[in-house]
């Protein structure tokens, strides 16, 4: 098979399925996994797909499933602002913290006092908001820019996170279920948040009550990885009890 033909077939498969693993493509095209990885790298450079850990995801799928930042910013805004204020109370001077690209993390960045802090983030909005605060050192992950979320994602952003350690990570997600844990809208966002959780001593999940019981597309982590959940007062009392029984601190504001 000609290389150009293989490229087109790979893109077609990725778009049909949403995501495909290197091992699958190797079997389908009867070439080595190393050859497939080179193919995927070239196709990503050409803007035909996006590389992920162990495979590739469809750019079309990412654009369809990820809610634009402008929409997330106004959805449940009052609840998110209260959650952000409560989250700020968990920050101490000289902490090294990580803020994701959620709208709630942006509200935190807007309201956090100018304390001596180190803030690692993959969010353009968060980094810009913190840039005027002289005592806060801001570190950006870099990576491929997701235009809908205004965040850096992909292998480069993931590798960047692997070089750091933080005291606390503040992050949100698309869905939380007691039986399945935290989920996200697409694989790229799920991968970056999984890495964030892995480098933090304390994991603080910022989610309004509408996220509970929701199962989104891609698994991020089990609830056993979460130390604290900050949510709004509309959360079901039975859910709070079950979370507390798992050793998770629940703060409803």
């Amino acid at each position: 098979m000609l290389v150009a033909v293989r490229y087109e077939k790979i893109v077609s498969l990725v778009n049909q399925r949403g995501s495909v693993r290197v091992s699958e493509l190797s079997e389908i095209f009867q070439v080595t996994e190393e050859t497939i990885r080179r193919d995927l790298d070239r196709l990503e450079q050409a803007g035909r797909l996006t590389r992920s850990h162990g495979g590739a995801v469809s750019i079309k799928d990412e654009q369809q499933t990820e809610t634009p930042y402008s929409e997330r910013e106004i959805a449940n805004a009052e609840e998110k602002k209260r959650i952000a204020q409560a989250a700020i109370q968990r920050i101490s001077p000289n902490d090294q913290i990580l803020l994701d690209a959620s709208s709630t993390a942006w509200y935190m960045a807007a309201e956090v006092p100018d304390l001596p802090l180190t803030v690692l983030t993959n969010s353009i909005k968060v980094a810009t908001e913190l840039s005027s605060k002289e005592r806060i050192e801001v570190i950006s992950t870099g990576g491929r820019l997701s235009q809908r979320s205004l965040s850096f994602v992909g292998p480069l952003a993931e590798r960047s996170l692997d070089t750091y350690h933080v005291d606390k990570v503040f992050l949100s997600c698309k869905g939380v279920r007691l039986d399945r844990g935290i989920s996200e809208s697409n694989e790229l966002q799920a991968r970056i948040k999984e890495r964030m959780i892995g480098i933090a001593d304390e994991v603080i999940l910022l989610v309004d009550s509408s996220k509970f019981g929701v199962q989104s597309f891609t698994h991020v982590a089990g609830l056993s990885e979460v130390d604290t959940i900050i949510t709004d007062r509309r959360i079901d009392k039975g859910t709070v009890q079950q979370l507390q029984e798992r050793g998770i601190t629940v703060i409803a504001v």
Side-chain angles (χ1 to χ4, degrees):
M1 181 183 294
L2 293 173
V3 173
V5 174
R6 187 170 70 240
Y7 285 176
E8 293 304 316
K9 289 185 178 293
I10 288 173
V11 172
S12 178
L13 277 169
V14 171
N15 285 337
Q16 286 174 17
R17 300 185 186 182
S19 65
V20 182
R21 300 191 65 79
V22 168
S23 56
E24 289 183 79
L25 294 171
S26 176
E27 289 185 19
I28 291 169
F29 296 106
Q30 293 297 295
V31 294
T32 66
E33 292 190 5
E34 184 58 37
T35 297
I36 292 296
R37 290 189 188 95
R38 286 197 299 268
D39 289 351
L40 296 180
D41 287 341
R42 288 168 184 149
L43 288 167
E44 181 178 52
Q45 291 169 8
R48 305 290 303 281
L49 49 73
T50 298
R51 290 283 274 119
S52 67
H53 181 74
V57 296
S58 170
I59 291 174
K60 179 175 69 174
D61 180 67
E62 177 191 348
Q63 292 172 340
Q64 289 175 345
T65 59
E66 190 167 7
T67 306
Y69 191 94
S70 58
E71 292 181 22
R72 290 190 287 118
E73 189 176 337
I74 61 175
N76 300 317
E78 289 306 313
E79 290 88 347
K80 290 176 180 178
K81 289 177 182 177
R82 292 199 304 271
I83 290 168
Q85 287 285 356
I88 289 170
Q89 302 306 311
R90 312 285 294 186
I91 298 174
S92 301
N94 300 309
D95 270 350
Q96 296 170 325
I97 68 171
L98 199 166
L99 298 180
D100 75 349
S102 64
S103 52
T104 310
W106 175 68
Y107 286 129
M108 283 184 67
E111 297 295 330
V112 68
D114 191 5
L115 299 171
L117 296 172
T118 300
V119 180
L120 174 63
T121 186
N122 71 321
S123 166
I124 289 178
K125 292 272 287 184
V126 167
T128 302
E129 193 66 50
L130 292 173
S131 65
S132 62
K133 302 184 181 186
E134 295 181 358
R135 303 176 75 190
I136 298 179
E137 180 182 8
V138 182
I139 302 172
S140 174
T141 62
R144 188 178 72 81
L145 178 63
S146 171
Q147 293 178 330
R148 291 174 76 84
S149 64
L150 298 178
S151 65
F152 293 113
V153 295
L156 182 59
E158 293 169 19
R159 287 196 297 271
S160 175
L161 286 173
D162 287 341
T163 66
Y164 295 102
H165 165 267
V166 295
D167 301 307
K168 300 159 187 170
V169 57
F170 297 86
L171 75 163
S172 189
C173 63
K174 287 294 186 295
V176 183
R177 282 184 46 164
L178 293 170
D179 55 342
R180 296 185 180 180
I182 307 165
S183 57
E184 258 301 336
S185 59
N186 67 67
E187 186 177 355
L188 290 175
Q189 292 294 343
R191 290 289 305 171
I192 200 82
K193 295 188 181 189
E194 181 184 18
R195 295 293 180 91
M196 289 177 173
I197 289 169
I199 67 168
D201 287 339
E202 183 179 356
V203 177
I204 302 169
L205 187 63
L206 315 174
V207 283
D208 63 76
S209 57
S210 69
K211 304 288 181 66
F212 288 92
V214 174
Q215 176 64 48
S216 200
F217 180 66
T218 308
H219 177 77
V220 176
L223 286 174
S224 60
E225 302 290 333
V226 177
D227 298 291
T228 301
I229 294 177
I230 305 179
T231 185
D232 63 73
R233 295 191 189 97
R234 291 184 295 179
I235 185 173
D236 178 71
K237 291 181 180 179
T239 300
V240 172
Q241 183 178 346
Q242 291 184 69
L243 291 168
Q244 291 173 336
E245 288 171 354
R246 297 176 183 218
I248 300 172
T249 300
V250 180
I251 301 170
V253 295

